[in-house]
Amino acid sequence: MSYFRLEERGTSVRTEVLAGCTTFLTLSYIIFVNPLVLGATGMDTGAVLVATCLAAAFGSAVMGLYANYPIALAPGMGLNAYFAAVAVGTLGLPWQTALGAVFCSGVLMLVLSVLPVREWVVNSIPRSQKLAIAAGIGFFLVIIGLRNAGVVVGHEATLVGLGNLVQWTVVLAAAGFVGIVALEHRKVPGAVLICILAVAVVGWIGGLSPAPASVVAAPPSLAPTAFELDIAAAFDVGLLAIVFAFLMVDLFDTSGTLVAVLNEAHLTDGTGRVPNLRRALVADSSATMVGALLGTSTTTSYVESAAGVRAGGRTGLTAVVVAGLFLAALFLAPVATAVPAYATAPAILFVGCVMARALRRVEWDDLTECVPAIVTALAMPFTYSIATGIGLGFIAYTLIKLFAGRSHELNDAVVTVAVLFTVRFLVT
């Protein structure tokens, strides 16, 4: 095990395996949630489940073996919602074309990762905007979770209204949400997964949704989604904004996750930067490409990896263990595909709330920092677009700094991104 430099990082095989199991339990809800989210586009849920597990296994293994970091990867929450609700739902793209856009964004991310460009962009983004992007994605997930739970519904006059709170599915979703928060507070490993399954089982027993025919079975066929992506259609000029949206969101989401988790693991340098960042970014980019080929939305680094770090994970062996567990999870397809939306809604809502906490670290006494951050965070749910929120936030940041007489705090990366988004808004 000298390859993973266990002794150098003050860990052991036993600790790394335990950390890997902890990380897997913390993020394994994606196995149940992702097929439901992408299934709304018409994709085969069984095939999406297999693609989810394989993409997560591949990404985690590459991160562990190539970058030697205890970071797990899987199809990202928020990015899958953007894929289903915006790219396919609002814009009406076929899911095959949306997968093509994800693949193209992965190729671009890989090119930017191999070159120093991606590191330059990541290290140049203002801290307040990184925090705002994380929080904005959180708010976006909150809206989706509340909708899936039936707590909020569409309303002609006010856009959104209150749903029927006495429906048993709504009651179960609320109970699941409270349960997740309570168990997480008590630091129970796998709290999210426990509550998803508990709500699902109650629903099955109560006849609210059909129960699975078995617990374990051979994995479903991957054929309905594997290599079905339409790369040629994604090259259409009108879809460049979608490719750019996937690229930008994963770019910032991954960078924020890497810095946060590796800082907690004491694997960053004295300035908070990540050594070998390029290798970690290559792992993330290649996982996105493989995931799109198999049939799932953008694969990204998971902040839940911090749970494994808290359990002692310090090397890539932790991520390799996670990869193995995702492969084993392929045989739980009957249970995963039978989990209803109201059972996974609490998980989506909880993850959104956790991500929204990032706003607490914004410099609230500095209006030129906090106002653009608020614009970024609130524009995402209110425009139902993560990319639009990022664009409006960067434009606001640039203009406010400029007219406040603090243009010296701007850098080339921020101005470039703001200009690109301005052009996008003007031509679409």
Side-chain angles (χ1 to χ4, degrees):
M1 289 297 177
S2 59
Y3 176 84
F4 293 106
R5 297 155 54 192
L6 300 179
E7 186 175 346
E8 178 184 330
R9 295 188 182 179
T11 183
S12 65
V13 173
R14 180 181 180 278
T15 299
E16 294 293 301
V17 171
L18 176 62
C21 293
T22 301
T23 295
F24 176 77
L25 284 174
T26 307
L27 60 78
S28 56
Y29 64 85
I30 193 63
I31 300 172
F32 303 92
V33 177
N34 201 47
L36 279 176
V37 173
L38 299 189
T41 67
M43 299 177 70
D44 182 87
T45 55
V48 172
L49 182 144
V50 175
T52 298
C53 291
L54 292 178
F58 174 84
S60 299
V62 174
M63 180 66 78
L65 295 172
Y66 182 60
N68 196 24
Y69 281 138
I71 304 290
L73 285 80
M77 293 291 293
L79 287 158
N80 58 1
Y82 180 81
F83 180 100
V86 180
V88 178
T90 301
L91 300 180
L93 299 178
W95 59 263
Q96 295 89 340
T97 301
L99 281 179
V102 170
F103 180 83
C104 290
S105 72
V107 172
L108 289 175
M109 284 190 292
L110 181 60
V111 172
L112 295 178
S113 298
V114 173
L115 300 175
V117 177
R118 190 174 178 184
E119 283 185 271
W120 169 69
V121 172
V122 169
N123 292 326
S124 299
I125 299 306
R127 181 171 180 270
S128 62
Q129 283 301 300
K130 289 180 180 178
L131 296 172
I133 291 169
I137 295 174
F139 290 139
F140 190 73
L141 290 176
V142 166
I143 289 292
I144 294 173
L146 290 174
R147 184 195 64 187
N148 288 354
V151 175
V152 297
V153 295
H155 193 285
E156 292 184 2
T158 61
L159 298 182
V160 294
L162 185 64
N164 183 2
L165 300 185
V166 298
Q167 283 188 340
W168 278 112
T169 53
V170 177
V171 172
L172 285 176
F177 176 68
V178 173
I180 289 173
V181 177
L183 292 181
E184 283 286 344
H185 175 71
R186 294 174 178 271
K187 302 188 184 304
V188 176
V192 175
L193 180 62
I194 290 171
C195 291
I196 287 177
L197 292 178
V199 171
V201 169
V202 173
W204 294 335
I205 294 174
L208 299 175
S209 54
S214 62
V215 176
V216 179
S221 172
L222 185 62
T225 60
F227 305 105
E228 290 296 316
L229 69 170
D230 191 342
I231 299 176
F235 279 105
D236 185 273
V237 175
L239 295 184
L240 291 180
I242 301 298
V243 175
F244 187 63
F246 285 125
L247 174 66
M248 293 294 286
V249 174
D250 192 32
L251 174 68
F252 300 132
D253 184 51
T254 297
S255 61
T257 296
L258 288 171
V259 171
V261 175
L262 296 180
N263 183 64
E264 185 169 340
H266 304 294
L267 295 176
T268 56
D269 61 20
T271 65
R273 294 193 175 189
V274 178
N276 293 323
L277 176 61
R278 190 174 302 179
R279 288 196 170 202
L281 295 177
V282 167
D284 179 88
S285 306
S286 59
T288 290
M289 295 167 57
V290 170
L293 289 171
L294 296 175
T296 186
S297 53
T298 307
T299 302
T300 187
S301 302
Y302 260 66
V303 73
E304 284 86 349
S305 301
V309 167
R310 287 193 292 270
R314 294 294 183 272
T315 75
L317 181 56
T318 294
V320 172
V321 171
V322 173
L325 292 173
F326 266 113
L327 291 178
L330 284 169
F331 298 92
L332 297 176
V335 175
T337 53
V339 173
Y342 61 81
T344 57
I348 298 174
L349 182 57
F350 172 73
V351 173
C353 290
V354 171
M355 294 182 69
R357 294 187 304 172
L359 281 181
R360 76 186 188 277
R361 300 198 298 273
V362 172
E363 298 176 49
W364 291 103
D365 292 331
D366 187 344
L367 289 177
T368 66
E369 294 289 337
C370 71
V371 171
I374 294 171
V375 170
T376 299
L378 294 184
M380 289 186 189
F382 288 139
T383 63
Y384 217 69
S385 170
I386 295 171
T388 298
I390 293 174
L392 293 176
F394 271 66
I395 293 171
Y397 186 90
T398 301
L399 293 177
I400 288 173
K401 288 289 185 181
L402 181 64
F403 287 101
R406 296 169 61 174
S407 58
H408 61 281
E409 297 180 15
L410 296 171
N411 57 56
D412 294 340
V414 173
V415 174
T416 299
V417 172
V419 170
L420 289 174
F421 269 114
T422 300
V423 172
R424 174 199 163 186
F425 291 144
L426 291 177
V427 300
T428 56

